[in-house]
Amino acid sequence: MSTPARKRLMRDFRRLQQDPPAGISGAPQDNNILLWNAVIFGPDDTPWDGGTFKLTLQFTEDYPNKPPTVRFVSRMFHPNIYADGSICLDILQNQWSPIYDVAAILTSIQSLLCDPNPNSPANSEAARLFSENKREYNRRVKDIVEQSWTAD
């Protein structure tokens, strides 16, 4: 059955394959177009550089009118990422628009890594260190980056 959401996800997937943005990749799981696996690479020349971070995106039949549920599978230390991997990002909540596609979602999350909003913390310790002790924050991020190389 080909619903509008499934057609749109196929279009998003084709666009992601034909013109992939730097440092991100994503694809639906073999038998479920509504469940995607994605990878975001830490941006160059940032504390996240060299990291390989896995995520899942769960879409509903309401996509693109409603955003997917996006979670990091990889362990993260970031002011706007909860312990369970869910992400506090305006475009995944109250600023969602159907113009966003999978590439735009992943690109936004990638830029959030280096540009957190400590005023809306999902991880208060990370937010505090980001604001008060950048050196310790960056050290903790580097630990997460190194863990991302060995994690399944």
Side-chain angles (χ1 to χ4, degrees), residues 5-97:
R6 290 165 192 268
K7 285 184 181 132
R8 169 64 186 268
L9 285 166
M10 285 305 296
R11 198 175 82 212
D12 285 6
F13 182 49
R14 271 195 307 278
R15 192 175 293 150
L16 206 53
Q17 286 181 306
Q18 290 164 353
D19 187 20
I24 65 168
S25 68
Q29 290 189 0
D30 288 344
N31 55 354
N32 186 354
I33 188 79
L34 296 176
L35 185 60
W36 287 46
N37 292 320
V39 174
I40 292 178
F41 298 99
D44 293 344
D45 303 319
T46 74
W48 300 93
D49 192 351
T52 307
F53 306 105
K54 296 179 180 148
L55 305 93
T56 58
L57 294 85
Q58 176 71 63
F59 297 89
T60 66
E61 293 291 352
D62 294 325
Y63 180 76
N65 296 317
K66 292 214 172 99
T69 301
V70 185
R71 273 193 159 71
F72 277 95
V73 177
S74 304
R75 270 198 55 212
M76 297 300 284
F77 183 76
H78 187 280
N80 306 116
I81 301 171
Y82 290 95
D84 70 355
S86 55
I87 303 161
C88 184
L89 180 63
D90 54 1
I91 70 157
L92 294 175
Q93 277 109 22
N94 54 349
Q95 299 292 311
W96 174 255
S97 166

Side-chain angles (χ1 to χ4, degrees), residues 93-110:
Q93 277 109 22
N94 54 349
Q95 299 292 311
W96 174 255
S97 166
I99 62 165
Y100 295 122
D101 62 4
V102 174
I105 294 166
L106 294 174
T107 303
S108 296
I109 294 169
Q110 185 186 45

